[in-house]
Amino acid sequence: MKGTQCAPFPRHHHHHHRGGGISSSATLIRRPKWIIILVFFISISVIGAYIFPPRQYVYSPCYFFSSPLCNPFGDWKNSPTERDLTDDELNSDAVIKEILSTPPVESDNNKIAFMFLTPDTLPFEKLWEKFFYGHEDKYSVYVHSSDHKSGHASPIFANADIRSSKVEWGKISMVDAERRLLANAFQNTDNQHFVLLSESCIPLYNFDRIYRYLMETNVSFVDCFHDPGPHGTGRYSERMKPEVKKKDFRKGSQWFSLKRQHALIILADTLYYTKFKKYCQPSMSGNKNCYADEHYLPTVFNLIDPGGIANRSITYVDWSEGKWHPKTFMERDISKRLVKNLTSINKCVHVTSDEKRVEEQMHCLWNGVQSPCYLFARKFYPQTQHKLMNLLSNLAII
Ligand SMILES: *[C@@H]1O[C@H](CO)[C@@H](O)[C@H](O)[C@H]1NC(C)=O
Ligand SMILES: *[C@@H]1O[C@H](CO)[C@@H](O)[C@H](O)[C@H]1NC(C)=O
Ligand SMILES: *[C@@H]1O[C@H](CO)[C@@H](O)[C@H](O)[C@H]1NC(C)=O
């Protein structure tokens, strides 16, 4: 099943064994006194070193426990006991660090880029037109549609089409389309956040609320969790090594919102992109299926800037039916109660795909405070537009 709702909390509290090779006191007692004294002094100095470590290690538990969970980036990249970086990795590392430490170009007119990924026409153009109305200086719109000839129902979308190519479900062409949208939207230096939406998405809040939610935070909303099961790490190929190790492989829903620095990193990346293009495909040898759109972004951000992403999506999808594709809401499902339900969700849940089906829940945080998780929801049938427009308008969302 493709299903994930959002991201896990890092609940890997491994209990390290600190006092390894100390033999039982019963054996010690039979030894000469000097051994007891020696052991005593060694223990004191070990405890002393632990309490008063050399300065540069004060903040690094990895000084004692070289677990991979300790400081993943700094540690594996810089530790002399690990391999050297390849030239490509070194280049990539330098570029990414520079981008992350450079504030984006200042704009007097910050905008959100709404990037629609759709196979053909957008069924909810009229709905979005109402949503955007009155906020002309605060948004821009981009549409990647494999079928250009379809035309638009709203003038807002009239000039929004970008050059598009065919997108095949689960293939790298999906990631290519996402990057194409980013590359187009990035050219406008006013754009600070880049939201990926599908044709079946609707907004759950009014424009101002969504604008502030995205603009007044410095994280990207990228769904990311560790799934040790067949639909998670089971899709990993050893050929992604050494740049992407099995333990670094992550999963998440494709519907992201990226801040400007992160969008640039994705545009600049060839190292990880190439790995996923080659080794994360449907129907690979060994009957392996890998879907790059569910793994590329989560894995890259987990590697390069784990603290910079929220580990969850801001787009609700209902996977509760347990099928390959999420539930699609029909006219009879649309009600005030449904919208209230979706906007009251404040925890996100990830379930692993192994037989244990471990459920990880996390509170959705916004700048450290608990908040609703979702700003958008999918999937809605095109025929629901009329009812949706009445409802969202009554709720002052559009
Ligand atoms: C976001 O900004 C806060 C301060 O406003 C800072 O503490 C935090 O480290 C920043 N996070 C990132 C990922 O830049
Ligand atoms: C996301 O997960 C990573 C690693 O699992 C963690 O370091 C980071 O703090 C998490 N981000 C948030 C906002 O919880
Ligand atoms: C709202 O959520 C409740 C509890 O999760 C559920 O039982 C109910 O069916 C939902 N109602 C709608 C209209 O989706």
Side-chain angles (χ1 to χ4, degrees), residues 152-379:
H152 292 288
S154 158
I156 285 185
F157 292 88
N159 295 314
D161 288 307
I162 65 163
R163 178 184 62 72
S164 309
S165 302
K166 195 169 158 54
V167 172
E168 285 177 273
W169 185 73
K171 293 205 174 163
I172 196 73
S173 56
M174 184 78 91
V175 174
D176 293 340
E178 293 173 4
R179 282 162 53 110
R180 206 172 289 128
L181 278 162
L182 281 174
N184 277 275
F186 196 82
Q187 317 255 345
N188 183 339
T189 51
D190 291 339
N191 289 335
Q192 300 299 320
H193 270 271
F194 302 79
V195 186
L196 183 71
L197 297 163
S198 83
E199 76 286 356
S200 65
C201 282
I202 62 158
L204 293 174
Y205 293 97
N206 68 27
F207 185 91
D208 282 325
R209 187 94 192 260
I210 288 177
Y211 183 87
R212 288 206 313 272
Y213 196 107
L214 295 177
M215 214 56 96
E216 294 172 15
T217 191
N218 55 3
V219 297
S220 292
F221 295 92
V222 175
D223 191 24
C224 172
F225 85 114
H226 180 240
D227 176 1
H231 303 304
T233 315
R235 296 173 178 171
Y236 170 81
S237 159
E238 295 288 335
R239 300 174 78 184
M240 288 192 179
K241 280 206 280 199
E243 292 87 348
V244 181
K245 294 184 192 141
K246 195 169 188 174
K247 70 178 174 61
D248 300 320
F249 198 69
R250 291 293 181 276
K251 173 171 175 155
S253 146
Q254 85 185 98
W255 308 104
F256 61 73
S257 174
L258 294 184
K259 60 176 180 173
R260 200 169 164 88
Q261 287 163 316
H262 284 166
L264 181 55
I265 288 172
I266 293 307
L267 295 177
D269 173 45
T270 53
L271 178 75
Y272 299 109
Y273 170 78
T274 310
K275 287 275 158 172
F276 280 83
K277 183 174 182 164
K278 282 189 182 157
Y279 307 123
C280 181
Q281 299 174 0
S283 346
M284 287 186 297
S285 60
N287 276 335
K288 227 188 234 296
N289 285 304
C290 186
Y291 308 101
D293 60 281
E294 289 186 0
H295 299 283
Y296 168 61
L297 287 188
T299 304
V300 169
F301 286 114
N302 174 57
L303 278 167
I304 63 159
D305 192 16
I309 59 170
N311 297 325
R312 64 182 175 91
S313 175
I314 45 169
T315 301
Y316 175 84
V317 193
D318 184 350
W319 286 102
S320 63
E321 292 178 342
K323 302 195 182 136
W324 271 97
H325 289 284
K327 177 186 163 81
T328 304
F329 295 104
M330 296 196 278
E331 208 169 65
R332 63 159 188 269
D333 300 315
I334 313 276
S335 66
K336 203 168 172 171
R337 205 161 138 229
L338 174 67
V339 174
K340 293 279 166 224
N341 258 9
L342 301 185
T343 51
S344 65
I345 299 170
N346 58 7
K347 269 185 207 162
C348 80
V349 183
H350 283 124
V351 184
T352 64
S353 61
D354 53 5
E355 62 286 354
K356 290 190 207 135
R357 306 237 148 241
V358 180
E359 188 177 294
E360 298 193 72
Q361 291 201 8
M362 73 165 187
H363 286 287
C364 293
L365 300 180
W366 182 81
N367 287 343
V369 294
Q370 277 194 43
S371 81
C373 303
Y374 301 111
L375 304 183
F376 307 98
R378 65 193 291 271
K379 310 168 71 163

Side-chain angles (χ1 to χ4, degrees), residues 80-191:
T81 58
E82 300 256 2
R83 69 192 174 84
D84 286 335
L85 300 186
T86 63
D87 285 340
D88 283 347
E89 273 179 293
L90 192 58
N91 293 351
S92 165
D93 191 34
V95 169
I96 288 170
K97 279 188 179 141
E98 179 71 15
I99 294 173
L100 287 177
S101 63
T102 313
V105 182
E106 293 274 337
S107 160
D108 296 334
N109 191 21
N110 291 331
K111 288 183 180 176
I112 292 175
F114 290 82
M115 311 185 302
F116 290 88
L117 184 58
T118 173
D120 41 55
T121 48
L122 290 172
F124 300 145
E125 286 194 10
K126 285 286 174 198
L127 190 159
W128 286 104
E129 181 183 85
K130 258 195 110 185
F131 169 81
F132 288 128
Y133 182 77
H135 305 285
E136 284 66 30
D137 52 344
K138 287 189 175 154
Y139 73 89
S140 46
V141 177
Y142 302 85
V143 180
H144 187 289
S145 153
S146 306
D147 175 14
H148 269 302
K149 294 175 274 321
S150 42
H152 292 288
S154 158
I156 285 185
F157 292 88
N159 295 314
D161 288 307
I162 65 163
R163 178 184 62 72
S164 309
S165 302
K166 195 169 158 54
V167 172
E168 285 177 273
W169 185 73
K171 293 205 174 163
I172 196 73
S173 56
M174 184 78 91
V175 174
D176 293 340
E178 293 173 4
R179 282 162 53 110
R180 206 172 289 128
L181 278 162
L182 281 174
N184 277 275
F186 196 82
Q187 317 255 345
N188 183 339
T189 51
D190 291 339
N191 289 335

Side-chain angles (χ1 to χ4, degrees), residues 17-46:
H17 285 282
R18 297 180 182 196
I22 295 178
S23 46
S24 81
S25 44
T27 30
L28 277 179
I29 285 162
R30 276 182 254 111
R31 301 271 149 100
K33 228 182 219 157
W34 65 267
I35 293 190
I36 298 177
I37 292 167
L38 188 64
V39 168
F40 176 75
F41 276 107
I42 289 172
S43 310
I44 288 293
S45 44
V46 167

